[in-house]
Amino acid sequence: MKLKVSHILALTLLLAAPSIQAQHTIPEVEALLKKMTIEEKIGQLNLVTPGGGIATGSVVSSNVEDKIKAGQVGGLFGISGPEKIKTAQDFAVKKTRLGIPLFFGSDIIHGYKTTFPIPLGLSSSWDMELLKRTAQVAALEATADGINWNFSPMVDISRDPRWGRISEGAGEDPYLGSQIAKAMVTGYQGEDLMAKNTMLATVKHFALYGAAEAGRDYNSVDMSRLKMYNEYLPPYKAAIDAGVGSVMSSFNDIDGIPASGNKWLLTDLLRDDWKFNGFVVSDYTSVNEMIAHGLGDLQAVSALSLKAGLDMDMVGEGFLTTLKKSLDEGKVTAEEITTACRRILEAKFKLGLFDDPYKYIDKKRPAKDILKDENRALAREAAKKSFVLLKNDTKNLPINKSSKIALIGDLANSKDNMLGTWAPTGDPQLSVSILQGFKNVAPNAQITHAKGANITDDAALAKKINVFGERVTIDKRSAEEMLNEAVELAKKSDIIVAVVGEATEFTGESSSRTDISIPQSQKKLIRALAATGKPLVLVLMSGRPLVLEEELALSASILQVWFPGVEAGNAIADVVFGDYNPSGKLTATWPRNVGQIPIYHSIKNTGRPQLTSEFEKFTSNYLDAPNTPLLPFGYGLSYTEFEYSNLNVNASQINQNEPLIVTVSVTNTGNFDGEEVVQLYLRDVVRSITQPVKQLKGFKKVMLKKGETKQVTLTLTPDDLKFYNSNLDFVAEPGDFEIYVGTNSDATLKSSFTLK
Ligand code: NOJ
């Protein structure tokens, strides 16, 4: 065979390629890089915000227009809408020497204008297709408003409900968290990043941000490599494997080095091991914050970050103001600056911005794509699927649509508290209050409403909560007057529905709590309502697991609704009145008290496990509380009942690299059609390192008509049996395994097999 000239050229190029990175180079980007001055390259590494969205730090950028025109900006966030974005893009494309287009970023965490439930709520649906659809709609709406880069998904594992940002993630479990990371990335980015309705996603906060000590935001993280690899890193890796375009570094330190300047994290792990070839952006001023961490002055920490593998500096402008000096002084190299710039330009290229910098700018799109009926319908579906029925012993739910209902609580008639934290692009006034939703869904019900209590009586706390808007109002009336009014209505009703819990911004960034119970003002209200003897249903709102022992005892039924988003009231009414049978399951364990934290299902046995619920001296336990949580991971009831039987595996012995097929029969034995999340937990009986008692390794959400039985199949892949051993090799060790299948992580239906 004769080689053509083009073949020879390609071969020469291939042999000359100095690194993996070089093999991925894009000719157009390389050509552009050749034309750029070092100042222009540094400009691309600068991300600014005029502070139009939610500024999450004390610094906002100044002179944004001048900086763009001077070629000192690579991307902008906090602005939206075709007109504003076009103006800013014009500054970059028409007024700078090389006309390099800008990224337009945003925090679209749970929907753009159509706000979906908070992520912890969405995760409770255990419905990956649904999650993906919410991400697709978020991308559709955001791109209609000119945005092409999203700071989502947030995949930080958290096992500490004190941490306010547990609301923003998928809870405690790495297996579920990884599936969700993948669903969100593929939802935002779609099949084709060049399309006009998809956007670049960012996995954040890399890494381990959810393990902040004592649940205090931005706090230090200290963790063994084994724990990182086995329990905290998998969701980030799943996002990388799904092709996420960018990574955001976290605020915390890891092994003593803040993530934004941590070379092991940003280069050795992320690029060399995981083969990530997108770009890394810092969190808001996280480079500058390394000064407070004690790692040097702005020039030193900026150089450290660049050398560690950070490509873009969010808001702090340490890169913009010091990198040239560091280059002149030999503290960074021109190649390091070029590499960071290349990664940013490549992402812009992949988005198609060089073909058409205005591709997301279409004045007709906002009206066509944003908040359209089908988007709101998806928000309603997502919300009702995110709710978790925590108690319903006396079957007071669902409520008959012609009942006399006392609907009590400040949260029952609030629009301000329906969206939840991190919904800066949403408009709370577009949301459906619960009172309105009840009227919409049950027009024949006799509904009376009273506030009953302030969300909190603590004025100092209310002030901190109200930083982004009036979430908590302290009534002029006395607590007693409000309480009496509610009790009078309750006495005249058939059933009480009290909407209680946290206001929006009780969770979220910089919203950690040491006391995670319902505020005292509402606790008093719940006690008074329970004392009327009328059946008491609690609709519970929160962005975290709560300590709830007293309320579980006092109420007949509890429906956990998180913060449901723009269709809140309608979705809650759908479930309360039985148009939808709840199917959500908890994705984070609910503790009995704060002293049990951190608490999660995949705990280790210890050498001295307490085997029964009885206190036994010299075993691993507490004097003043059981080891078991209040509500386990995976827990959630339905209006119907499900029975599990016939758990089988297709082989009692399997070889390495062979899958195992698990089947189980699930029967709907109750009186409603309903969905069940069938969960599979694995126990590796003997390992070379201590192992969790059980770990989630599979789940399937199935619909069963009343009386129906289905055989559900779950497949354990060879990777599901693997873990990182003490050499950090990902291996499966031969020996016995046990599997447990059931309705939550306390599942006892058991089978076993041996890995050869
Ligand atoms: C700080 C937050 O930690 C991060 O999640 C967010 O994307 C940035 N601010 C930008 O708003």
Side-chain angles (χ1 to χ4, degrees):
M1 188 185 104
K2 269 194 175 175
L3 281 180
K4 288 189 190 151
V5 177
S6 60
H7 285 149
I8 296 167
L9 261 179
L11 202 66
T12 322
L13 276 174
L14 203 69
L15 292 174
S19 67
I20 292 174
Q21 194 60 34
Q23 286 177 20
H24 290 292
T25 53
I26 297 168
E28 290 87 337
V29 170
E30 295 310 305
L32 182 57
L33 281 169
K34 287 209 179 82
K35 291 187 207 150
M36 293 174 81
T37 64
I38 203 75
E39 286 81 4
E40 283 165 337
K41 288 178 184 172
I42 292 171
Q44 286 300 307
L45 317 188
N46 193 28
L47 175 63
V48 298
T49 181
I54 287 189
T56 50
S58 47
V59 182
V60 291
S61 318
S62 57
N63 304 328
V64 170
E65 180 179 333
D66 294 343
K67 280 182 188 145
I68 300 174
K69 289 179 180 163
Q72 294 179 336
V73 176
L76 190 61
F77 71 105
I79 71 162
S80 59
E83 266 159 42
K84 283 191 189 149
I85 294 210
K86 176 164 185 316
T87 308
Q89 195 68 299
D90 275 344
F91 296 151
V93 171
K94 298 188 178 149
K95 306 281 178 192
T96 64
R97 188 176 76 92
L98 294 169
I100 300 174
L102 297 170
F103 282 130
F104 292 95
S106 185
D107 285 282
I108 302 148
I109 310 299
H110 47 115
Y112 184 62
K113 291 270 196 272
T114 301
T115 309
F116 299 110
I118 57 165
L120 188 62
L122 278 176
S123 72
S124 307
S125 72
W126 296 58
D127 184 335
M128 299 309 113
E129 200 42 47
L130 176 74
L131 276 138
K132 189 172 168 183
R133 279 159 61 212
T134 65
Q136 282 166 340
V137 166
L140 174 77
E141 292 195 351
T143 53
D145 239 358
I147 291 156
N148 49 35
W149 178 27
N150 192 7
F151 305 148
S152 173
M154 187 277 216
V155 305
D156 304 320
I157 295 288
S158 176
R159 296 169 171 185
D160 192 332
R162 291 171 298 183
W163 191 51
R165 299 193 83 171
I166 194 172
S167 53
E168 263 184 77
E172 72 183 40
D173 186 73
Y175 180 85
L176 179 65
S178 299
Q179 311 288 321
I180 291 180
K182 183 177 165 196
M184 297 305 284
V185 169
T186 50
Y188 291 135
Q189 297 195 161
E191 302 276 298
D192 177 13
L193 261 184
M194 289 273 188
K196 289 182 179 170
N197 58 358
T198 59
M199 61 186 168
L200 201 75
T202 308
V203 66
K204 69 186 190 186
H205 307 83
F206 193 59
L208 320 179
Y209 180 39
E213 264 179 24
R216 182 156 58 79
D217 211 356
Y218 318 124
N219 207 356
S220 244
V221 172
D222 200 356
M223 191 185 285
S224 71
R225 290 280 151 104
L226 271 182
K227 193 166 187 150
M228 287 183 202
Y229 276 74
N230 284 310
E231 298 171 44
Y232 280 77
L233 292 176
Y236 307 107
K237 174 144 193 318
I240 308 295
D241 291 344
V244 73
S246 65
V247 169
M248 187 185 292
S249 63
S250 55
F251 288 119
N252 54 282
D253 61 336
I254 293 170
D255 279 342
I257 303 178
S260 303
N262 193 314
K263 179 172 175 298
W264 170 77
L265 186 74
L266 301 185
T267 298
D268 302 356
L269 180 68
L270 184 63
R271 296 196 181 274
D272 297 346
D273 291 355
W274 292 0
K275 311 291 177 221
F276 174 65
N277 64 8
F279 71 98
V280 182
V281 61
S282 77
D283 202 344
Y284 207 105
T285 60
S286 67
V287 173
N288 314 54
E289 289 166 27
M290 287 163 65
I291 303 170
H293 276 288
L295 270 86
D297 62 12
L298 188 59
Q299 184 185 354
V301 296
S302 301
L304 183 70
S305 297
L306 182 80
K307 292 182 99 64
L310 190 89
D311 304 307
M312 195 171 219
D313 178 9
M314 188 191 289
V315 180
E317 301 199 341
F319 278 13
L320 186 73
T321 55
T322 70
L323 282 188
K324 176 70 175 40
K325 184 162 184 269
S326 290
L327 178 67
D328 294 342
E329 292 170 3
K331 292 179 177 147
V332 301
T333 64
E335 199 190 336
E336 285 161 345
I337 294 170
T338 303
T339 298
C341 181
R342 172 183 291 116
R343 291 174 182 149
I344 287 160
L345 297 180
E346 283 178 348
K348 291 182 177 180
F349 183 85
K350 286 178 197 159
L351 276 173
L353 289 174
F354 287 113
D355 289 342
D356 179 6
Y358 301 99
K359 61 180 274 214
Y360 302 94
I361 297 164
D362 175 351
K363 282 192 192 143
K364 291 197 200 100
R365 271 194 68 193
K368 190 160 71 75
D369 291 336
I370 295 177
L371 278 165
K372 58 181 175 179
D373 290 351
E374 59 199 85
N375 300 2
R376 286 196 76 128
L378 182 65
R380 187 165 175 168
E381 181 189 343
K384 61 194 184 189
K385 290 187 170 168
S386 73
F387 302 158
V388 185
L389 185 62
L390 302 182
K391 181 180 181 187
N392 200 24
D393 302 350
T394 43
K395 307 256 183 276
N396 287 95
L397 284 176
I399 298 174
N400 187 301
K401 283 187 181 166
S402 51
S403 307
K404 229 171 155 186
I405 302 165
L407 180 62
I408 308 297
D410 199 4
L411 292 166
N413 191 22
S414 165
K415 286 176 178 248
D416 292 315
N417 285 299
M418 294 303 105
L419 302 189
T421 188
W422 263 124
T425 52
D427 177 357
Q429 297 321 312
L430 295 176
S431 66
V432 181
S433 73
I434 298 172
L435 179 58
Q436 188 57 51
F438 272 36
K439 289 180 181 163
N440 295 344
V441 171
N444 297 327
Q446 295 174 57
I447 302 164
T448 52
H449 170 256
K451 179 168 169 176
N454 294 317
I455 293 172
T456 172
D457 287 337
D458 179 342
L461 175 63
K463 198 169 162 212
K464 294 177 198 161
I465 298 297
N466 287 342
V467 62
F468 298 134
E470 191 84 354
R471 314 292 192 216
V472 177
T473 43
I474 306 227
D475 216 289
K476 291 202 181 63
R477 290 174 296 169
S478 71
E480 204 189 350
E481 197 183 327
M482 283 192 279
L483 199 86
N484 288 341
E485 184 194 16
V487 166
E488 285 315 306
L489 291 188
K491 283 183 184 160
K492 288 184 210 140
S493 70
D494 301 332
I495 189 162
I496 312 164
V497 177
V499 188
V500 292
E502 298 186 315
T504 290
E505 308 313 333
F506 265 65
T507 49
E509 189 169 346
S510 188
S511 294
S512 295
R513 297 176 71 198
T514 60
D515 173 1
I516 57 167
S517 49
I518 294 175
Q520 284 304 323
S521 53
Q522 296 181 74
K523 272 179 157 302
K524 284 186 203 149
L525 172 66
I526 294 166
R527 286 181 203 128
L529 295 172
T532 63
K534 297 282 181 180
L536 173 61
V537 172
L538 299 184
V539 169
L540 187 60
M541 302 190 73
S542 73
R544 55 161 61 84
L546 296 174
V547 163
L548 201 67
E549 214 150 18
E550 184 186 6
E551 291 73 22
L552 264 178
L554 285 178
S555 59
S557 307
I558 304 185
L559 182 70
Q560 167 67 19
V561 300
W562 315 108
F563 291 98
V566 71
E567 283 289 323
N570 288 335
I572 292 171
D574 287 339
V575 174
V576 163
F577 294 106
D579 290 347
Y580 180 76
N581 182 358
S583 61
K585 302 275 188 175
L586 300 177
T587 57
T589 303
W590 286 42
R592 292 174 193 273
N593 59 40
V594 167
Q596 286 186 316
I597 297 169
I599 187 166
Y600 48 95
H601 76 282
S602 54
I603 48 162
K604 293 183 177 179
N605 210 27
T606 80
R608 292 187 174 195
Q610 180 183 283
L611 298 171
T612 67
S613 55
E614 287 304 303
F615 175 82
E616 252 183 280
K617 192 72 183 164
F618 304 122
T619 63
S620 180
N621 55 27
Y622 298 105
L623 285 174
D624 55 358
N627 288 354
T628 53
L630 187 64
L631 300 168
F633 174 82
Y635 174 87
L637 304 172
S638 163
Y639 293 156
T640 192
E641 280 91 43
F642 299 102
E643 260 178 36
Y644 286 72
S645 59
N646 299 328
L647 175 61
N648 284 309
V649 292
N650 70 327
S652 57
Q653 289 207 335
I654 56 167
N655 294 312
Q656 297 263 350
N657 300 322
E658 230 183 284
L660 184 85
I661 315 290
V662 181
T663 52
V664 68
S665 297
V666 187
T667 305
N668 180 343
T669 57
N671 291 322
F672 295 80
D673 299 346
E675 286 157 288
E676 166 72 334
V677 180
V678 179
Q679 301 164 41
L680 184 156
Y681 295 86
L682 183 73
R683 176 176 188 154
D684 188 350
V685 179
V686 177
R687 260 185 197 176
S688 56
I689 57 168
T690 56
Q691 65 273 33
V693 172
K694 50 173 99 149
Q695 284 174 288
L696 181 74
K697 287 294 173 184
F699 62 89
K700 201 169 257 180
K701 193 163 186 173
V702 287
M703 172 73 199
L704 291 163
K705 298 230 169 277
K706 54 184 169 185
E708 190 183 5
T709 299
K710 266 187 188 161
Q711 197 187 55
V712 178
T713 302
L714 296 150
T715 303
L716 279 172
T717 68
D719 273 2
D720 292 333
L721 309 188
K722 291 186 181 165
F723 64 99
Y724 289 91
N725 67 14
S726 30
N727 296 326
L728 298 180
D729 295 326
F730 192 51
V731 295
E733 292 177 345
D736 294 339
F737 287 79
E738 292 170 357
I739 50 177
Y740 298 85
V741 175
T743 188
N744 62 49
S745 57
D746 283 345
T748 51
L749 192 62
K750 182 179 163 188
S751 186
S752 57
F753 66 95
T754 306
L755 177 69
K756 285 197 273 187

